[in-house]
Amino acid sequence: MRWRRPGRCTDRGGHGLSDVAQLVAGLEEGDRRSIARLLTLVEDGTPESLRDLVAALHPRTGRARTVGITGSPGVGKSTLTNAVVAELRSRDRTVGVIAVDPSSPFTGGALLGDRVRMQGHHADPGVFIRSMAARGHLGGLSFATPQAALVLDAAGFDVVIIETVGVGQSEVEVAQTADTTVVALAPGMGDSIQAAKAGILEVADLFVVNKADHSGAGKLEAELRGMVEMGHETGAVDGWWPPILRTVAVRGEGIPELVDALEQHHAHLESSGALVERQRHRAAHTVREIALERVRGSFASIGGADDPLIDSLATQVAARDLDPYAAADALLVALDPEVG
Ligand SMILES: Nc1nc2c(ncn2[C@@H]2O[C@H](COP(=O)(O)OP(=O)(O)OP(=O)(O)O)[C@@H](O)[C@H]2O)c(=O)[nH]1
Ligand SMILES: [Mg+2]
């Protein structure tokens, strides 16, 4: 199929190229308001502004280490993130955080909770924390989150942490936008069963049994160890055996060990070549998403149920004047110049 070069003269919804360029310049000077506005563009921008933004940012990224922290609601992801941020700061690393709100943006509950728990870093210029709503993004959350991480990477943060609730496939995808994925569990929450269901065992580079001050932490750890061993019968994946760490995030216990393990995993990714491989895998995913989104957009404009072309093709197919494959061909030919 022939793809036309996308047009550039579309409505940019008030965010022109110069706006983006100005914000990117601000970003490079470490201006926090520019970072915040770029993240808002990722959340609310038009497809065109997002395109300009990604084009401007992409060459400036690739430096940050990205860490995904996922797990069921309430296991202590935000508390863990907060403690990891503090530990990283004590090691002189700057940190950007994207906390993906599991609930609707209108309830405010989780957002407020995250803000309260993370406010300790508010005055620190080496930390930037942003909550993102899980709904209403162009191309979905699994598309918006990596773009937001791109903004923080370009802003020069050494480490970018993405906190997501691991309950479904889209969250697993979000976790996979990170170089290192931490799966957090807590005793007494039926987590191990849920972990197996959601397939997060496969994406975990590291397990954290948080709330180790609660009874049942040992049992959960043993259960998890059994599952890891069963899941990796053939041996370690890419030479890495996911460690299981115990933490009491509210007291900062086990956090230095967790950060050590993050560093070890990153070193392993670099030395084994898996880092480059993961980044290529993610790039392929992003390119596919963008292309599919564009095709979907074109279908929305010409292939809708009440589209005259569809209408006429349907009539011909129903009248046996045309077979459905030939009709689809005709539709795709009409679609082609629309793509972009
Ligand atoms: N006892 C104990 N409580 C903890 C620990 N870590 C977190 N908590 C508490 O558990 C509750 C939930 O913690 P959060 O950090 O908000 O959990 P979360 O996983 O981010 O929750 P969501 O973002 O809503 O999914 C809070 O009341 C924390 O204070 C821990 O190690 N031990
Ligand atoms: Mg949270």
Side-chain angles (χ1 to χ4, degrees):
M1 202 188 274
R2 178 180 51 89
W3 300 96
R4 192 174 63 100
R5 224 192 101 69
R8 306 278 301 173
C9 304
T10 35
D11 172 31
R12 293 178 190 280
H15 298 289
L17 188 58
S18 60
D19 273 3
V20 170
Q22 217 173 334
L23 291 173
V24 171
L27 183 95
E28 288 189 321
E29 285 158 23
D31 172 38
R32 296 174 76 83
R33 271 194 323 177
S34 297
I35 302 174
R37 286 198 51 205
L38 284 166
L39 289 170
T40 302
L41 265 187
V42 168
E43 284 195 288
D44 306 329
T46 61
E48 291 75 25
S49 63
L50 197 56
R51 181 194 175 95
D52 291 341
L53 183 148
V54 171
L57 289 185
H58 192 260
R60 295 169 166 81
T61 57
R63 276 195 44 246
R65 298 178 180 189
T66 51
V67 176
I69 299 186
T70 190
S72 302
V75 295
K77 298 177 296 297
S78 296
T79 315
L80 273 168
T81 300
N82 202 38
V84 166
V85 167
E87 179 63 23
L88 285 166
R89 291 302 290 139
S90 79
R91 298 184 188 193
D92 258 350
R93 300 278 167 83
T94 58
V95 198
V97 177
I98 313 258
V100 181
D101 176 12
S103 58
S104 119
F106 303 108
T107 70
L111 270 170
L112 185 64
D114 280 342
R115 282 213 187 107
V116 170
R117 278 190 285 285
M118 291 188 172
Q119 70 186 0
H121 305 292
H122 247 76
D124 182 352
V127 178
F128 193 99
I129 295 167
R130 172 73 167 241
S131 286
M132 293 214 323
R135 289 181 232 289
H137 292 290
L138 295 165
L141 187 62
S142 60
F143 187 70
T145 306
Q147 314 314 325
L150 215 62
V151 171
L152 295 180
D153 183 351
F157 292 102
D158 297 322
V159 181
V160 174
I161 301 178
I162 302 163
E163 177 198 332
T164 56
V165 175
V167 287
Q169 189 51 41
S170 71
E171 288 76 14
V172 170
E173 274 174 29
V174 169
Q176 282 171 321
T177 68
D179 297 329
T180 300
T181 299
V182 177
V183 173
L185 302 101
M189 303 186 74
D191 272 309
S192 47
I193 298 145
Q194 207 172 336
K197 254 194 213 154
I200 50 182
L201 278 173
E202 285 125 69
V203 304
D205 297 306
L206 240 112
F207 287 100
V208 167
V209 173
N210 188 42
K211 304 195 184 181
D213 53 328
H214 286 181
S215 66
K219 184 169 165 277
L220 174 60
E221 192 183 324
E223 217 177 318
L224 203 52
R225 203 167 293 285
M227 288 173 102
V228 169
E229 278 165 16
M230 216 159 53
H232 298 281
E233 268 167 346
T234 50
V237 175
D238 293 334
W240 177 260
W241 194 274
I244 302 169
L245 298 146
R246 281 205 213 186
T247 56
V248 182
V250 275
R251 297 205 294 256
E253 289 174 25
I255 302 301
E257 292 80 0
L258 171 55
V259 173
D260 286 345
L262 291 174
E263 305 257 359
Q264 281 159 17
H265 184 248
H266 196 271
H268 164 79
L269 286 178
E270 275 188 332
S271 64
S272 67
L275 186 62
V276 177
E277 202 37 57
R278 281 184 186 205
Q279 284 165 353
R280 266 175 41 84
H281 184 80
R282 284 207 304 269
H285 179 75
T286 305
V287 171
R288 241 188 338 255
E289 284 291 304
I290 291 170
L292 281 174
E293 195 51 38
R294 218 181 272 169
V295 171
R296 270 187 222 111
S298 303
F299 262 102
S301 65
I302 76 149
D306 51 0
D307 182 85
L309 177 59
I310 281 272
D311 206 42
S312 130
L313 290 170
T315 305
Q316 294 175 65
V317 171
R320 304 297 187 273
D321 290 336
L322 200 64
D323 73 78
Y325 279 87
D329 286 345
L331 183 64
L332 288 172
V333 166
L335 172 71
D336 188 4
E338 295 283 325
V339 170

